[in-house]
Every structure is written in C-alpha cells, then in structure tokens.
Amino acid sequence: MWETTVLRKVLPMLVSASRFLSLPAVLPGLVLCAAVTLSAYFVEQLQMMVFGSHWIESLVLAILIGIAVRSSVCLPQTFIPGIQFAAKTLLEIAVVLLGASLSTAAIRQAGLPLVGGIAVLVALSLVGSFVIGRLFGLSASLATLVACGNSICGNSAIAAAAPVIGAKPDDIAASIAFTALLGIGAVLTLPLLHLLFGLSAVQYGVFAGVTAYAVPQVLAATASAGAVSTQVGTLVKLIRVMMLGPVILVLGAVHGRRPGGSPVNLRHVLPWFILGFAAMATLRSLDAIPAPLLPGMATVSAAFTVTAMAALGLSVDVRSVAHTGGRVLAAAALSLLALGALGLCLIGLLNIV
C-alpha cells in the first residue's frame, strides 16, 4: 500500500536526520510531523479515489491538518524541538534535493529570446507582486513570499524562499494556503481564457506556462488544448522554475546585508542549502547524477517538504492567519492577474504564433 511505502521512506529519513541532534529531544515532534504528513497523503489519495484527481495537494493539506491539530490541542513543550527541526532543517534539505530536478537542457532547447523574455517577466512579476502586497498592508516578508509563489512556482518557491528571508510560520502558512487556492482557480479558468482570447496552441502553451504555479497544473490546464500546448506549456514552466535559483541567491544577498555598511557575512548571503541547490542543479546539467537516483531524490525532496509544511502548520496561530487572510488572498489574486497580463504581453512582443 502507498501508506506503507511513504512510511518506510519518511520515518527512517527523519530518524537518521535527527541523529545530528539529541534524538530524545526531537523524536516526539518528528513523529507528530510524520503523522500529519501521512494524514495529508491519505486525504490526497482519498480525493483521487473519489474524484479521479486531487484538488488540494498534500503540501497544502499538511499545513491545514497541522493548523487544525495546533488549534484544537495544547501541545506539550516536548514536541517543540522536533517541530522546529522539521520546519527548518528538513526544509533546507528538501531545497538542496530540489536542485537535482533542474537542468539547463530545457533552456538550450527553448532559445535565448524566450528564455530572456521569461526571465524579464519573472523579474517584473516579482517586483509588481511585492508592491501589490505592500499596498494591501502585508508585511515585507509575507509580500515577498506571495511574490515568489506567484512569479516562479507556487508552493515550492515559497518553501525555498522562506528560510532565506527568515519568514515566520504564520506568513508561510498564509502565503501557501491562499496561493494554492488561486492555483486551483487558475487551472479551472485558463481553458476558458484560451477560448476567450482565441490563442493558438503554441500561444496558449506559453500563456499557461507563465501563469500556472506548478507543472501538474500546467498539464491539467493544457490537456484540452492538445499535445502541442502541453509540451510548450511544460517547457515554459520548467524555464520559470529555473529562475528559482537566481531569485533565491538575490534574496539571500538582500537579506544578508547589515545596516550601516558593515561587512556582509557570507553564511547569511549564501546559506549552505542554497549552495547545495546550485551544486545539485549543476551536477544534473552535467549528467553527473546517475539517472536511477533522480526519482528517489525527488521523492525525498517532496516528502521532506510536506513534512516541513506539517511542522509549519503545527507552529501556526490560526488567529494570525485569519487576520491577514483577506488581504493575502486579494494581493495574490491581483498579482496573478498581473502575471497573466504580462504573459499576454510576452506572447505579443516575441510574435509567438
């Protein structure tokens, strides 16, 4: 059964990682995070069985279940070290392993004009989304997370950016929850926009690739438009994902600066997991990572990310999320609309037909 497979993969990883700390101190919290993670996977699979697809991803479910547990039960202090370890260290390990899923081969295939256009689009979207978030009264940290989620690759970008900027668990949970909600809305709306704007298969592939948050969402949104749209959309989406590394490096440099012109600490500008991310991406581009290892690395990265999100949910004060919820949703929705407009501009400027 899938539950047994996930359990066999996740729990040994947690126990092995916890050896770097005091096992008795972190084990209770890690076990609780693993339980929330398995619950999230179970609900995701239940959706597949009932509806034929999962409307809410396990990553989002882990946050929601974690918040529900934290809001309904007073957790003893013994759980806190393990929850903090999962929220920070496991997330950093997941970011490193995420680099193994990226390759520069996609960039070579796409051509310089499209790659450059997507890079400019991501930069404009990041700045625009951040400004929109601040105008709606979001903190700089929360506005940054929303901007990264909208502009690059949704939940994965938020999860990667969060430790770099030192985001609070409440901000991470709020940005992921509402960005995920909009991601579902985008999948349902994009096919309608395809018909409304009269886009060709290639144009729609580009439009979906620059608008949807995740590769599965691109596949779902372009399925009705044919194989060409799906292939183009996937390629454009992968190029957007490739922008995650440079963006994280810039965020690390910005947030690593000290006021008053004092020397910059390299450890803050380039945290170990960002260097690891870059190293993994480079090795993948050089085909230095054996192909049989790639699926396992992707599985570990995904499992650690979901476990870290469970830990974040277990750290969240639901009242804080509810307090900012309306503003986060409004800022993220307006940012998504701006991203779609930029996508249409890109299609026009590059004369994509």
Side-chain angles (χ1 to χ4, degrees):
M1 295 294 291
W2 69 268
E3 298 97 332
T4 304
T5 301
V6 173
L7 186 63
R8 284 202 305 263
K9 288 182 177 180
V10 174
L11 286 181
M13 297 170 192
L14 300 182
V15 173
S16 176
S18 67
R19 289 174 182 170
F20 292 101
L21 301 176
S22 172
L23 181 60
V26 300
L27 189 57
L30 287 176
V31 171
L32 178 59
C33 292
V36 172
T37 299
L38 290 175
S39 299
Y41 280 127
F42 174 78
V43 175
E44 183 180 62
Q45 291 299 314
L46 188 62
Q47 294 177 86
M48 291 291 295
M49 294 170 56
V50 176
F51 303 109
S53 62
H54 54 269
W55 295 98
I56 306 178
E57 297 177 344
S58 55
L59 190 148
V60 178
L61 288 167
I63 290 180
L64 297 177
I65 295 172
I67 291 175
V69 171
R70 182 60 182 266
S71 302
S72 58
V73 178
C74 182
L75 293 178
Q77 185 65 28
T78 54
F79 287 95
I80 303 304
I83 292 173
Q84 292 176 340
F85 176 78
K88 183 179 185 297
T89 304
L90 292 190
L91 181 57
E92 292 174 348
I93 295 173
V95 171
V96 172
L97 296 177
L98 181 64
S101 66
L102 305 179
S103 173
T104 57
I107 291 181
R108 292 195 297 268
Q109 294 173 5
L112 187 59
L114 181 58
V115 174
I118 294 173
V120 172
L121 180 144
V122 168
L124 292 175
S125 179
L126 282 168
V127 174
S129 296
F130 178 81
V131 171
I132 291 172
R134 295 294 283 164
L135 289 176
F136 274 89
L138 304 186
S139 66
S141 173
L142 184 51
T144 300
L145 294 180
V146 171
C148 289
N150 271 295
S151 306
I152 307 173
C153 52
N155 299 334
S156 298
I158 293 172
V164 178
I165 67 174
K168 297 178 181 178
D170 290 346
D171 289 345
I172 301 170
S175 57
I176 284 182
F178 293 105
T179 300
L181 178 63
L182 287 173
I184 296 172
V187 170
L188 299 176
T189 305
L190 283 173
L192 300 178
L193 295 178
H194 175 208
L195 300 176
L196 178 63
F197 296 140
L199 301 174
S200 69
V202 174
Q203 289 173 334
Y204 179 59
V206 174
F207 181 63
V210 301
T211 306
Y213 292 145
V215 173
Q217 293 175 356
V218 173
L219 298 178
T222 57
S224 61
V228 173
S229 285
T230 300
Q231 293 167 1
V232 173
T234 302
L235 175 61
V236 170
K237 176 60 199 166
L238 290 176
I239 295 174
R240 272 178 72 198
V241 174
M242 288 291 291
M243 303 301 160
L244 179 60
V247 169
I248 294 300
L249 288 175
V250 171
L251 288 176
V254 171
H255 287 266
R257 290 176 181 169
R258 302 291 185 89
S262 56
V264 175
N265 188 328
L266 184 61
R267 182 172 57 86
H268 291 96
V269 176
L270 292 175
W272 74 272
F273 59 94
I274 298 304
L275 294 174
F277 177 94
M280 284 292 184
T282 301
L283 291 174
R284 173 66 189 278
S285 298
L286 296 174
D287 292 325
I289 301 177
L293 294 181
L294 295 175
M297 296 173 74
T299 298
V300 174
S301 178
F304 275 15
T305 300
V306 176
T307 305
M309 294 305 107
L312 289 171
L314 290 167
S315 306
V316 167
D317 182 350
V318 69
R319 292 169 296 183
S320 299
V321 176
H323 177 68
T324 59
R327 288 177 289 142
V328 175
L329 183 59
L334 189 55
S335 297
L336 182 59
L337 290 174
L339 180 61
L342 288 172
L344 291 176
C345 291
L346 177 67
I347 292 172
L349 289 173
L350 296 181
N351 293 319
I352 297 173
V353 296

